Amino acid sequence: MTGPARAGAGPGPEPRAPARALLRPGALVSRRWGRALLGALGAGGAVLVLELLARGGAVDDDALPPATSVLARAAGMAVDDGFLGHLGTTVSAWLGGLALAVALAVPAGLLLGSLPWLDRAGLAVVELARPVPSVALIPLAILVFAEPVRVERSLVCYAALWPILLNTLYGLRDVDPVAKETLRAFGFGAPAVLVRVSLPSAGPFVLTGVRIAASVGLIVAVSAELRAGGDSGLGVYLLQTQSGGGRPDLMVAGAVWAGALGTAANAVLVGAGRLAFPHSARAAAGRGG
Amino acid sequence: MLDITGLSHRYDDGHQAVDDIELSVEGGELVSIVGPSGCGKSTLLRCVAGLQRPSAGRITVGGRAVEGAVPPNLAVVFQDYTRSLFPWLTVRDNVALPLRRHGLGRAERRARAAKALAQVGLDGTGSRYPWQLSGGMQQRVALARALAYRPSLLLMDEPFGSVDAQTREDLEDLLLAVRGGPAGEGGPAGEGGPAGEGGTAKRPPGRMTILLVTHDIDESVYVGDRVVVLTGAPGRVHSDLRVDLPAPRDRVATRGLPEFVRLRAEVGRAVRRP
C-alpha cells in the first residue's frame, strides 16, 4: 500500500501533502510492533495470574484448572478428531447463518437506503424486531425447524441480520452527496450510482456490521447448541464435558477454542477490510496515531 | 452552444436562488460567472448540468433541452476534489470510470485516462490513490477526468477555490493550455454525437465550451473570454463583459496590461454594487 506511494513520488512538481508523513512504512511498522508487544505482554500476564491463582490454592482446582493445563488440553484437541467434528459443526452453522444474513441484509439495506419512503417504514419494523434477543427465540426455532443444525443456522442468521442491516443503512446515509453528483453529472443513472459510488463508499461500514454480526453469531451458535442439543457442535461438546463428574479443564479448553474462533474471524475480516478498502484503513491508521 | 432563457429557481424552503437569468454561450467560449456569495452561481451551474430541475425557464445545450436530465458530453469539475474523487479507486480508475458512458473497452479507457493524466502533467501517478497526492494534484486529477471524457461543455464550480494561491495560478494556466485549439478551429468536440467517435478520436479535439463559476475577480478576467456578473440573491445577470486580452495569457504580462486592470476594476465594481 504505502510502497508504491514512495516509489512513484518522482514526477509530481508539487510538495507532498503532510498527511503522507503518516504513511511512512517505518512509522507504521514500529507502532504496530509496539502494539503487538504490549498485547503479548498483557495476554502472558493474564495467563500467569490465572496459573498462580489455581496453583496457589486461591481458587478450587475443580472450578478453575491451571491455565497451562487448560492450554495444553486445548492444544491437544487440535488433533482430536472427535472434537474437530464438534468444532466443524459449529463453524459450518455459524458461517452458514452469517453468509445467509449477509445475503439478505446487504440487498435489503441497499433497497431501504435508496428509497426514502421504504426506509421509514422499514426502520419501524427493524426497531421492533431488533431488540428481541435471539436466544429468546430458541424454543420457537426448535419448534419450527426441529433439526438442530437448522435451528442453529436460522438463529445465527436472525441475530446477524440486524448489525449488518443497520450498518449498511448508516453507511449509505454517510455517502457523500458530492461523490454521487459527480457520477450523475457524467450521465450515470441511479443504479450505476448505487453500485459504483454508494456501495463502495458504504463498504467499510458494511464490513464493520459483518464483524459485529460474526461475534454475535458465535454467541448465538454456541447458545443454541447448549439448548437445542443435537449430536454435534461445540455447545454439545461442552455439555458432554459436564456429565459424569465433569471435566473443567476440557470445558475451559472448549471455551478457549470458541474464543479462538471469534478472534480468527475478526482478524480475517479486519484483514479483508484493509485489502478491499485501503482508503478507510488509512483513515483508521491516521486516527490511531 | 448553451442557451439559458428566463431561468428561475426557488428552493423548497422558499429561498429564491436565481431569477430570470438570460445567458447565451458560443461554442468554444470560456465564460466566467462571478457574483457575491449566495447569488446562485452554483444553482445556475447545477441547473445547466441537469442536476437540479429549475422552477422556471429553459436551458438548451447544443440545441437540446436539458429539462432535469444530464445532457450528453457534459462534464463537471467540483470545488471539493476530496469529495468528488473516489478514494476507493486509483487515480487511473477515477479518470477512466466516466468513460464507461462512451461504451469504451477497458484498454481504451485506460489509454485515454493515461493520456489525460499526461495532459495535466500527472504521468506516472495512475496507480496511486487520490489521497496520496497533494491538493493541487488532486484537482488536476479531477480536471483530467473531465478532459478524458472529451466534453463539449465543461462546467467548473469554483474549481480552484480550495488550493493555495501559487497552485491556483498554475491550475489557471493549465486550464487555458488544455482547453483545446484556438476558437474557430473546428467546433466543440463531438457535438451532436458521442465524443471521440470515428476519425475525430485521433485529432486534437476542438476548443471546449467552458462555464467557470468563481468568486475570484482576478481569475474571472484572467481565464475568461467573457465575464458575466450576477447580482446578489436572487441572482440576475448584472453585466456581461467581453474580455479582449491577447492570447496566450501570461500570468505576469497579462495582469500588467491596462485593459486587464480596467476590466478587473469594472468587474469588481459590478460585484460590489447590489
Side-chain angles (χ1 to χ4, degrees):
Chain A
M1 248 306 313
T2 50
R6 284 169 64 78
E14 264 126 300
R16 293 207 224 156
R20 281 175 58 205
L22 280 175
L23 290 169
R24 268 182 304 121
L28 208 65
V29 164
S30 66
R31 209 191 304 144
R32 196 177 284 171
W33 273 108
R35 235 184 268 156
L37 189 68
L38 286 175
L41 280 175
V47 168
L48 192 68
V49 168
L50 287 172
E51 182 78 15
L52 290 176
L53 279 178
R55 300 268 179 218
V59 187
D60 189 359
D61 240 24
D62 288 338
L64 185 70
T68 45
S69 59
V70 168
L71 290 176
R73 289 269 175 255
M77 281 147 83
V79 291
D80 176 354
D81 283 344
F83 175 75
L84 290 180
H86 287 296
L87 195 70
T89 304
T90 302
V91 168
S92 93
W94 173 43
L95 294 185
L98 201 59
L100 196 60
V102 171
L104 289 172
V106 174
L110 288 179
L111 200 64
L112 288 175
S114 35
L115 302 170
W117 55 272
L118 200 59
D119 185 36
R120 208 157 296 164
L123 266 184
V125 178
V126 171
E127 291 306 333
L128 277 177
R130 192 168 63 108
V132 178
S134 311
V135 284
L137 295 174
I138 292 177
L140 179 68
I142 292 172
L143 199 67
V144 174
F145 296 110
E147 197 191 327
V149 178
R150 291 181 62 198
V151 170
E152 195 180 341
R153 202 188 299 138
S154 58
L155 286 168
V156 169
C157 176
Y158 179 85
L161 270 178
W162 311 116
I164 301 173
L165 181 61
L166 288 177
N167 269 279
T168 305
L169 284 175
Y170 290 139
L172 288 177
R173 238 172 253 178
D174 205 57
V175 177
D176 197 314
V178 174
K180 288 199 267 190
E181 286 211 328
T182 298
L183 212 57
R184 271 181 65 205
F186 280 112
F188 286 75
V193 171
L194 184 68
V195 172
R196 303 205 175 276
V197 178
S198 301
L199 200 55
S201 174
F205 286 82
V206 176
L207 198 72
T208 302
V210 175
R211 274 172 59 201
I212 300 167
S215 60
V216 173
L218 186 60
I219 298 171
V220 172
V222 176
S223 309
E225 286 164 352
L226 285 172
R227 178 62 184 79
D231 36 42
S232 183
L234 202 51
V236 177
Y237 175 83
L238 291 175
L239 283 176
Q240 287 171 0
T241 58
Q242 222 177 4
S243 61
R247 286 287 305 274
D249 54 338
L250 292 180
M251 235 178 253
V252 181
V256 165
W257 270 96
L261 281 184
T263 307
N266 194 56
V268 165
L269 288 169
V270 168
R274 275 215 190 101
L275 282 179
F277 312 110
H279 58 289
S280 77
R282 171 211 43 147
R287 275 197 297 274
Chain B
M1 170 65 210
L2 168 65
D3 283 292
I4 302 171
T5 45
L7 179 77
S8 300
H9 187 67
R10 185 187 287 274
Y11 284 97
D12 290 340
D13 61 6
H15 172 66
Q16 177 95 31
V18 289
D19 184 28
D20 199 23
I21 288 196
E22 306 273 337
L23 182 65
S24 203
V25 179
E26 297 291 311
E29 256 188 325
L30 197 167
V31 176
S32 304
I33 312 259
V34 285
S37 61
C39 73
K41 301 184 291 265
S42 295
T43 304
L44 169 65
L45 216 62
R46 288 169 49 81
C47 289
V48 175
L51 294 171
Q52 178 77 60
R53 193 186 272 273
S55 324
R58 187 178 159 80
I59 301 170
T60 61
V61 174
R64 218 184 300 189
V66 173
E67 282 169 356
V70 177
N73 293 315
L74 176 139
V76 184
V77 173
F78 292 92
Q79 173 181 0
D80 203 339
Y81 44 82
T82 54
R83 300 169 64 189
S84 169
L85 293 174
F86 306 125
W88 54 87
L89 294 181
T90 60
V91 164
R92 181 190 299 114
D93 290 342
N94 261 286
V95 176
L97 176 58
L99 303 179
R100 286 174 175 274
R101 289 287 299 158
H102 293 326
L104 299 174
R106 185 183 155 88
E108 174 81 1
R109 288 200 304 268
R110 291 197 146 214
R112 267 223 216 169
K115 203 176 146 202
L117 284 169
Q119 250 184 305
V120 301
L122 286 179
D123 349 40
T125 58
S127 55
R128 289 205 242 165
Y129 286 91
W131 37 268
Q132 293 175 318
L133 307 177
S134 70
M137 289 166 92
Q138 288 185 52
Q139 194 55 304
R140 281 195 271 158
V141 174
L143 183 59
R145 180 167 63 184
L147 289 175
Y149 196 71
R150 294 185 191 156
S152 41
L153 177 61
L154 175 61
L155 306 177
M156 307 182 92
D157 190 359
E158 307 213 0
F160 313 135
S162 300
V163 294
D164 60 83
Q166 172 67 37
T167 307
R168 183 179 195 120
E169 291 197 341
D170 293 341
L171 289 172
E172 287 166 7
D173 285 337
L174 177 66
L175 175 66
L176 292 176
V178 298
R179 63 186 283 216
E185 186 186 286
E191 198 172 355
E197 217 180 49
T200 57
K202 294 285 178 223
R203 285 190 287 116
R207 183 167 270 193
M208 284 183 290
T209 310
I210 303 174
L211 209 56
L212 179 130
V213 162
T214 177
H215 60 254
D216 185 326
I217 291 159
D218 187 280
E219 177 173 282
S220 73
V221 176
Y222 181 70
V223 300
D225 297 321
R226 262 165 77 196
V227 178
V228 172
V229 183
L230 299 185
T231 60
R236 292 190 189 88
V237 175
H238 175 281
S239 43
D240 188 341
L241 306 165
R242 178 146 296 282
V243 181
D244 275 320
L245 292 169
R249 308 260 164 106
D250 179 89
R251 66 170 73 170
V252 179
T254 301
R255 286 188 167 91
L257 295 172
E259 176 67 1
F260 180 88
V261 176
R262 188 190 68 75
L263 274 166
R264 190 175 55 190
E266 192 175 344
V267 173
R269 272 196 302 277
V271 169
R272 273 164 206 117
R273 203 178 52 195

